[in-house]
Amino acid sequence: MVRPSLTRQRIQAVARELFAQKGVQNTSLQEIADRLGITKPALYYHFASREDLVRSIVQPLIDDGEAFLQGLESEAGLQPRTVLERYFDFIHEHRELLLIILAELPTLSELGIVDGVLSWRRRLTALLFPPEPTPAQSVRAAVALGGLQDCPILFPDAPVDELRRQAVDAACAALGVTD
């Protein structure tokens, strides 16, 4: 595996910061270059386009999400609470990037990134209600997973262990499952 250059990593870090502050569409490549003290052509040396830069920032989340789900899917008989706890931990770990995705759904949808993230919900629902969730179970899973996903983003300063317990308890209640 080729390690990204330090300059490439710096570009990604500044872009993440600016995207979170101003949005992807409202952040110019020139602004990123200026913040770094490099020329725009130097930025283009590392990223062919804004889309290439955005993908390079979001792709690790997509890869981690796929690995996370494959890991869950490979374990037989997981209890819903375990699935929800692990999902909370995943969301909490990636909350900054998820916030960018939520804020930039139209832009990221054009890049084909949102469909993959939305498929996570279907796969998690299947894990919560095997073998095939009913429509009512699918609705409860959407409420549970959406609320669980929102908690680390909406309450970033809450003590994580307490937030995790409360969020998972609420998600279990929405699912209609007990331990």
Side-chain angles (χ1 to χ4, degrees), residues 78-86 128 164-165 168-169 172 177-179:
L78 285 177
Q79 295 300 308
R81 177 172 288 280
T82 302
V83 172
L84 295 170
E85 287 170 344
R86 291 184 187 175
L128 293 168
R164 181 182 195 255
R165 181 184 49 76
V168 170
D169 286 351
C172 284
V177 299
T178 59
D179 293 338

Side-chain angles (χ1 to χ4, degrees), residues 64-96:
D64 288 354
E66 187 59 33
F68 166 74
L69 282 164
Q70 286 178 2
L72 287 178
E73 290 166 340
S74 72
E75 292 185 52
L78 285 177
Q79 295 300 308
R81 177 172 288 280
T82 302
V83 172
L84 295 170
E85 287 170 344
R86 291 184 187 175
Y87 186 56
F88 177 91
D89 294 342
F90 175 81
I91 295 299
H92 188 269
E93 179 183 342
H94 294 89
R95 64 190 178 279
E96 286 91 12

Side-chain angles (χ1 to χ4, degrees), residues 90-122:
F90 175 81
I91 295 299
H92 188 269
E93 179 183 342
H94 294 89
R95 64 190 178 279
E96 286 91 12
L97 272 177
L98 285 166
L99 191 56
I100 291 172
I101 288 174
L102 290 173
E104 295 292 335
L105 281 177
T107 301
L108 297 176
S109 184
E110 290 174 13
L111 298 177
I113 293 170
V114 174
D115 291 338
V117 173
L118 291 177
S119 76
W120 296 351
R121 292 277 185 95
R122 290 186 292 279

Side-chain angles (χ1 to χ4, degrees), residues 9 20 26 31-32 44 115 132 146 171 179:
Q9 290 173 348
N26 294 325
E31 186 174 7
I32 294 168
Y44 276 118
D115 291 338
E132 184 70 29
D179 293 338

Side-chain angles (χ1 to χ4, degrees), residues 54-71:
V54 171
R55 279 186 197 283
S56 78
I57 290 170
V58 176
Q59 194 60 50
L61 170 66
I62 304 301
D63 295 344
D64 288 354
E66 187 59 33
F68 166 74
L69 282 164
Q70 286 178 2

